[in-house]
Amino acid sequence: MLKGRHVVLGVTGGIAAYKCAELTRELIRRGAEVKVIMTESAREFMTPLTLQTLSGNPVYTELFTLIREQDIAHIALAEFAELMIVAPATANVIGKAAAGIADDLLTTVLMAMKAPVLFCPAMNTQMYGNPALQENLKKLQAWGYHVLPPASGPLACKAEGQGRLPEVTAIVEAAVSVLTLKDLAGEHVLVTAGPTREPFDPVRFITNYSSGKMGYAVALQAQRRGARVTLVSGPTSLPPPDGVEIVNVGSALEMRDAVLSRLAGVTVVIKAAAVADYRPAALREQKIKKKGGSLTLELERNPDIIQEIGRKEGRRIIVGFAMESENLLENARSKMVEKNMDLIVANDLREEGAGFQCDTNVIKILDRKGNIEELPLMDKAEAAGRILDRVRALLKEKKRGRRG
Ligand code: PMT
């Protein structure tokens, strides 16, 4: 998402300026080209040399600088930017931006900026709560500027409360969200992810290798694209994506109840979970003791959740996944028809970099018209984006059909 994107980072004079070294590194690591502007006070907390070394670009500090022979710094930087992040944003810079004051390079670039701007305020709790500051933030937001509220916790001034610059990952996530087209706004997407656990005594269960990465990637991308997202997750070790409603479940039966009771208003269902088809017929109250000889477990069928959704009233888009070890396309196609899905995403257990656990996938998207979109190896985040592109196209088709 940030690969090749041009970011201008404006650093102002707060103690949190030191975190900009890490922020610059993270933006560069994600493939962005970063140019840094520092105010005079920012340079009291951090040297331009550090950010110059990390960004691989000169750090801009003076208003009256010629970048190339004829380019004026503030105009050239404003034209370069696809996104501007002001972090930390002091009460002073927020006040100047809200009052239309441009008296140094940073505020002048802000004035000339056409790209979206993300302010990350960081200051003492009392200052953050000051009505003038709050009014200024409201004003900026009403003008279309983005604001990432500060985090709470211990502050450098020894106070405790809201005012900390959020973690670098949260700033980067907010930046990505600002750059993402909100083409799923108004949709409610329900995603399932991870494995299910089918217990047979108080300490043991049957499960599979799903890590949840594929489903979580779908949930995050849908949230970034403006959808309301409910993520029904089997047991995983992944942190829930910010801004997503998470519902944790254990067994297939729990996943079924969680999904079916939340379908009202859902416009898209994407079932990336690896749901156990069978569960132990009996759940013993006590731990099964080891004895000589073998142990036989009787299994019974679990309900097919996606099939039940397919039979329900309400015209929603249904996307399933198929993880196969043979006859990938044939098996996926028959699952799509049998379970009344609109799309099925097929991934092959035998393919390098595909399926369970890894950060990448190799997917084929099949639709009801017989089309097969074969995609190369890519990050699960990108694969999730490609699935959502297809969902978006189907939603558009559906809306056109309703009007026609
Ligand atoms: O979690 P990761 O480690 O990132 O791995 C991702 C993944 C491999 C789990 C994912 O990409 C994937 O393929 N998920 C589907 C796994 C599967 O084998 O599904 P299935 O063929 O058993 O089922 C087909 C579809 O029916 C799936 O959408 C499944 O969620 C759904 N199903 C299955 C059984 C059941 N009882 N109820 C269901 O709703």
Side-chain angles (χ1 to χ4, degrees):
M1 181 71 219
L2 287 171
K3 205 163 181 199
R5 307 305 289 267
H6 290 179
V7 179
V8 168
L9 173 62
V11 185
T12 68
I15 181 66
Y18 78 92
K19 288 191 185 168
C20 283
E22 203 46 49
L23 177 58
T24 306
R25 270 173 70 109
E26 185 58 18
L27 292 168
I28 298 282
R29 196 184 68 77
R30 301 234 196 162
E33 191 180 339
V34 182
K35 294 192 178 181
V36 180
I37 303 172
M38 296 181 83
T39 60
E40 197 181 340
S41 343
R43 282 175 272 145
E44 297 288 330
F45 294 92
M46 155 83 74
T47 70
L49 185 63
T50 308
L51 296 181
Q52 177 166 318
T53 310
L54 293 173
S55 68
N57 277 312
V59 167
Y60 302 92
T61 54
E62 304 306 325
L63 181 53
F64 300 106
T65 317
L66 292 180
I67 288 185
R68 276 179 269 138
E69 273 152 30
Q70 69 284 49
D71 291 340
I72 305 294
H74 63 278
I75 303 298
L77 286 166
E79 277 172 4
F80 162 84
E82 290 174 79
L83 170 72
M84 180 164 179
I85 304 173
V86 186
T90 55
N92 182 48
V93 79
I94 291 166
K96 281 187 191 174
I101 295 171
D103 64 353
D104 63 4
L105 179 62
L106 199 153
T107 46
T108 315
V109 170
L110 274 174
M111 277 292 228
M113 186 60 61
K114 281 186 282 189
V117 178
L118 173 66
F119 282 95
C120 305
M123 62 199 72
N124 162 274
T125 309
Q126 290 299 117
M127 288 172 77
Y128 184 67
N130 185 289
L133 186 274
Q134 288 299 324
E135 273 309 303
N136 286 337
L137 286 176
K138 272 195 212 132
K139 208 184 215 187
L140 291 176
Q141 281 172 303
W143 288 342
Y145 291 98
H146 302 267
V147 175
L148 176 66
S152 294
L155 303 171
C157 56
K158 312 270 185 286
E160 179 101 21
Q162 194 177 11
R164 287 169 65 87
L165 187 68
E167 293 305 318
V168 165
T169 47
I171 300 175
V172 173
E173 182 51 40
V176 169
S177 177
V178 167
L179 284 171
T180 308
L181 189 69
K182 304 292 179 228
D183 60 354
L184 291 176
E187 305 299 336
H188 183 175
V189 180
L190 187 147
V191 182
T192 68
T196 62
R197 281 182 183 172
E198 311 300 326
F200 53 91
D201 78 7
V203 294
R204 303 183 183 99
F205 51 82
I206 298 172
T207 190
N208 59 62
Y209 291 109
S210 172
S211 63
K213 287 180 183 170
M214 189 65 243
Y216 276 56
V218 172
L220 176 60
Q221 297 302 323
Q223 192 274 342
R224 283 180 179 163
R225 289 167 74 153
R228 172 179 167 199
V229 179
T230 303
L231 173 60
V232 178
S233 174
T236 76
S237 57
L238 303 173
D242 280 346
V244 162
E245 181 204 359
I246 180 102
V247 184
N248 291 306
V249 296
S251 65
L253 288 176
E254 284 171 27
M255 183 172 279
R256 173 184 176 271
D257 290 348
V259 168
L260 296 185
S261 63
R262 286 173 176 80
L263 275 185
V266 166
T267 51
V268 181
V269 175
I270 304 182
K271 285 213 82 256
V275 185
D277 287 321
Y278 293 91
R279 65 174 181 275
L283 171 56
R284 309 280 182 94
E285 255 179 56
Q286 305 303 332
K287 183 179 168 191
I288 299 173
K289 293 283 177 231
K290 185 165 57 201
K291 289 194 197 125
S294 58
L295 171 74
T296 305
L297 275 181
E298 195 192 335
L299 301 179
E300 62 188 16
R301 275 301 300 263
N302 266 327
D304 196 301
I305 308 167
I306 203 163
Q307 199 163 35
E308 283 192 52
I309 301 168
R311 287 199 203 108
K312 282 206 170 294
E313 285 295 303
R315 194 57 209 118
R316 50 182 71 87
I317 306 289
I318 301 175
V319 182
F321 273 70
M323 156 59 90
E324 304 292 339
S325 57
E326 57 180 353
N327 305 327
L328 179 70
L329 294 175
E330 295 84 324
N331 287 342
R333 191 175 294 112
S334 56
K335 275 181 188 168
M336 173 171 60
V337 174
E338 196 183 304
K339 302 190 185 197
N340 207 11
M341 303 171 189
D342 297 280
L343 297 173
I344 191 156
V345 181
N347 40 195
D348 193 332
L349 185 64
R350 294 162 311 173
E351 197 148 3
E352 186 69 28
F356 291 130
Q357 309 257 326
C358 44
D359 292 329
T360 54
N361 209 349
V362 182
I363 58 169
K364 297 173 179 47
I365 307 177
L366 285 71
D367 67 18
R368 305 284 295 199
K369 294 177 188 151
N371 301 312
I372 303 171
E373 185 182 356
E374 300 203 19
L375 296 169
L377 178 84
M378 56 180 67
D379 278 355
K380 281 183 172 162
E382 200 182 339
R386 301 294 284 267
I387 296 164
L388 292 171
D389 289 346
R390 296 293 301 271
V391 166
R392 167 88 189 118
L394 284 179
L395 285 164
K396 263 181 147 174
E397 245 175 57
K398 199 170 96 175
K399 278 172 195 156
R400 263 202 309 270
R402 230 189 261 142
R403 273 199 300 272

Short mmCIF file of all heavy atoms in Angstrom, two decimals, residues 106-131:
data_model
loop_
_atom_site.label_atom_id
_atom_site.label_comp_id
_atom_site.label_asym_id
_atom_site.label_seq_id
_atom_site.Cartn_x
_atom_site.Cartn_y
_atom_site.Cartn_z
N LEU A 106 7.27 24.42 7.31
CA LEU A 106 6.25 23.39 7.52
C LEU A 106 4.83 23.95 7.31
O LEU A 106 4.01 23.36 6.59
CB LEU A 106 6.39 22.79 8.92
CG LEU A 106 5.72 21.42 9.11
CD1 LEU A 106 6.41 20.63 10.20
CD2 LEU A 106 4.26 21.52 9.41
N THR A 107 4.55 25.08 7.93
CA THR A 107 3.19 25.63 7.82
C THR A 107 2.91 26.15 6.40
O THR A 107 1.78 26.11 5.92
CB THR A 107 2.97 26.75 8.86
OG1 THR A 107 4.08 27.62 8.85
CG2 THR A 107 2.76 26.19 10.25
N THR A 108 3.96 26.57 5.72
CA THR A 108 3.76 27.03 4.34
C THR A 108 3.46 25.84 3.42
O THR A 108 2.60 25.91 2.55
CB THR A 108 5.01 27.80 3.85
OG1 THR A 108 5.41 28.70 4.87
CG2 THR A 108 4.74 28.57 2.58
N VAL A 109 4.18 24.71 3.66
CA VAL A 109 3.89 23.49 2.89
C VAL A 109 2.45 23.05 3.16
O VAL A 109 1.72 22.68 2.23
CB VAL A 109 4.90 22.36 3.24
CG1 VAL A 109 4.48 21.04 2.62
CG2 VAL A 109 6.30 22.73 2.75
N LEU A 110 2.03 23.12 4.42
CA LEU A 110 0.65 22.75 4.76
C LEU A 110 -0.35 23.58 3.95
O LEU A 110 -1.35 23.06 3.46
CB LEU A 110 0.39 22.97 6.25
CG LEU A 110 0.77 21.84 7.20
CD1 LEU A 110 0.59 22.28 8.64
CD2 LEU A 110 -0.08 20.60 6.93
N MET A 111 -0.06 24.87 3.83
CA MET A 111 -0.95 25.77 3.08
C MET A 111 -1.02 25.40 1.60
O MET A 111 -2.06 25.51 0.97
CB MET A 111 -0.42 27.21 3.16
CG MET A 111 -0.82 27.93 4.40
SD MET A 111 -2.58 28.23 4.37
CE MET A 111 -2.62 29.92 4.82
N ALA A 112 0.12 24.94 1.07
CA ALA A 112 0.19 24.67 -0.38
C ALA A 112 -0.22 23.23 -0.72
O ALA A 112 -0.33 22.87 -1.89
CB ALA A 112 1.62 24.92 -0.86
N MET A 113 -0.47 22.43 0.32
CA MET A 113 -0.67 20.98 0.13
C MET A 113 -2.02 20.65 -0.51
O MET A 113 -3.06 21.11 -0.07
CB MET A 113 -0.58 20.32 1.52
CG MET A 113 -0.61 18.83 1.54
SD MET A 113 0.72 18.04 0.63
CE MET A 113 2.17 18.61 1.47
N LYS A 114 -1.97 19.80 -1.56
CA LYS A 114 -3.22 19.32 -2.16
C LYS A 114 -3.51 17.89 -1.67
O LYS A 114 -4.64 17.43 -1.67
CB LYS A 114 -3.09 19.31 -3.69
CG LYS A 114 -3.26 20.70 -4.30
CD LYS A 114 -3.28 20.64 -5.80
CE LYS A 114 -1.87 20.49 -6.28
NZ LYS A 114 -1.53 20.59 -7.64
N ALA A 115 -2.44 17.19 -1.28
CA ALA A 115 -2.59 15.79 -0.83
C ALA A 115 -3.22 15.75 0.56
O ALA A 115 -3.21 16.76 1.28
CB ALA A 115 -1.20 15.14 -0.79
N PRO A 116 -3.77 14.58 0.96
CA PRO A 116 -4.33 14.47 2.32
C PRO A 116 -3.25 14.67 3.38
O PRO A 116 -2.08 14.33 3.16
CB PRO A 116 -4.90 13.05 2.39
CG PRO A 116 -4.40 12.33 1.19
CD PRO A 116 -3.94 13.34 0.19
N VAL A 117 -3.68 15.24 4.52
CA VAL A 117 -2.75 15.50 5.63
C VAL A 117 -3.27 14.78 6.87
O VAL A 117 -4.46 14.85 7.18
CB VAL A 117 -2.65 17.02 5.92
CG1 VAL A 117 -1.72 17.28 7.12
CG2 VAL A 117 -2.15 17.78 4.69
N LEU A 118 -2.36 14.08 7.55
CA LEU A 118 -2.70 13.40 8.80
C LEU A 118 -1.95 14.06 9.95
O LEU A 118 -0.72 14.04 9.99
CB LEU A 118 -2.27 11.92 8.69
CG LEU A 118 -2.38 11.06 9.95
CD1 LEU A 118 -3.84 10.88 10.38
CD2 LEU A 118 -1.74 9.68 9.73
N PHE A 119 -2.71 14.67 10.86
CA PHE A 119 -2.10 15.27 12.05
C PHE A 119 -2.08 14.24 13.18
O PHE A 119 -3.10 13.59 13.44
CB PHE A 119 -2.93 16.48 12.53
CG PHE A 119 -2.71 17.73 11.73
CD1 PHE A 119 -3.56 18.06 10.68
CD2 PHE A 119 -1.65 18.58 12.03
CE1 PHE A 119 -3.37 19.23 9.95
CE2 PHE A 119 -1.45 19.76 11.30
CZ PHE A 119 -2.31 20.08 10.26
N CYS A 120 -0.95 14.11 13.85
CA CYS A 120 -0.85 13.21 15.00
C CYS A 120 -0.48 14.05 16.23
O CYS A 120 0.71 14.19 16.57
CB CYS A 120 0.23 12.15 14.77
SG CYS A 120 -0.02 11.22 13.25
N PRO A 121 -1.48 14.63 16.90
CA PRO A 121 -1.19 15.50 18.04
C PRO A 121 -0.50 14.72 19.17
O PRO A 121 -0.84 13.55 19.41
CB PRO A 121 -2.57 15.98 18.51
CG PRO A 121 -3.54 15.58 17.45
CD PRO A 121 -2.92 14.46 16.67
N ALA A 122 0.43 15.36 19.84
CA ALA A 122 1.08 14.76 21.02
C ALA A 122 1.48 15.91 21.93
O ALA A 122 2.18 16.82 21.49
CB ALA A 122 2.30 13.95 20.61
N MET A 123 0.99 15.87 23.16
CA MET A 123 1.28 16.96 24.10
C MET A 123 0.79 16.57 25.50
O MET A 123 0.19 15.48 25.66
CB MET A 123 0.59 18.26 23.64
CG MET A 123 -0.92 18.18 23.60
SD MET A 123 -1.68 19.45 22.56
CE MET A 123 -1.28 18.93 20.91
N ASN A 124 1.00 17.43 26.43
CA ASN A 124 0.52 17.24 27.80
C ASN A 124 -1.01 17.13 27.82
O ASN A 124 -1.69 17.77 27.01
CB ASN A 124 1.02 18.45 28.62
CG ASN A 124 0.27 18.62 29.90
OD1 ASN A 124 -0.79 19.26 29.91
ND2 ASN A 124 0.79 18.08 30.96
N THR A 125 -1.54 16.32 28.74
CA THR A 125 -2.98 16.06 28.79
C THR A 125 -3.82 17.34 28.92
O THR A 125 -4.86 17.48 28.26
CB THR A 125 -3.30 15.16 30.02
OG1 THR A 125 -2.44 14.05 29.96
CG2 THR A 125 -4.71 14.68 30.04
N GLN A 126 -3.34 18.26 29.79
CA GLN A 126 -4.07 19.51 29.98
C GLN A 126 -4.13 20.30 28.69
O GLN A 126 -5.17 20.86 28.32
CB GLN A 126 -3.38 20.39 31.05
CG GLN A 126 -3.50 19.86 32.46
CD GLN A 126 -4.95 19.77 32.87
OE1 GLN A 126 -5.46 18.68 33.12
NE2 GLN A 126 -5.64 20.90 32.91
N MET A 127 -2.98 20.34 28.00
CA MET A 127 -2.93 21.08 26.73
C MET A 127 -3.88 20.43 25.71
O MET A 127 -4.59 21.11 24.98
CB MET A 127 -1.50 21.08 26.16
CG MET A 127 -0.54 21.95 26.91
SD MET A 127 1.15 21.72 26.31
CE MET A 127 1.10 22.65 24.78
N TYR A 128 -3.88 19.09 25.70
CA TYR A 128 -4.74 18.39 24.73
C TYR A 128 -6.22 18.68 25.01
O TYR A 128 -7.03 18.80 24.10
CB TYR A 128 -4.46 16.88 24.75
CG TYR A 128 -5.25 16.16 23.69
CD1 TYR A 128 -4.99 16.38 22.34
CD2 TYR A 128 -6.29 15.29 24.02
CE1 TYR A 128 -5.73 15.77 21.35
CE2 TYR A 128 -7.03 14.67 23.05
CZ TYR A 128 -6.75 14.91 21.71
OH TYR A 128 -7.49 14.32 20.74
N GLY A 129 -6.54 18.80 26.30
CA GLY A 129 -7.94 19.06 26.66
C GLY A 129 -8.34 20.52 26.52
O GLY A 129 -9.53 20.86 26.63
N ASN A 130 -7.38 21.39 26.27
CA ASN A 130 -7.68 22.82 26.18
C ASN A 130 -8.72 23.09 25.08
O ASN A 130 -8.59 22.60 23.96
CB ASN A 130 -6.39 23.58 25.88
CG ASN A 130 -6.60 25.08 25.90
OD1 ASN A 130 -7.23 25.62 25.01
ND2 ASN A 130 -6.09 25.73 26.92
N PRO A 131 -9.77 23.89 25.41
CA PRO A 131 -10.83 24.11 24.42
C PRO A 131 -10.33 24.73 23.12
O PRO A 131 -10.86 24.43 22.04
CB PRO A 131 -11.81 25.04 25.14
CG PRO A 131 -11.21 25.38 26.45
CD PRO A 131 -10.05 24.50 26.72
#
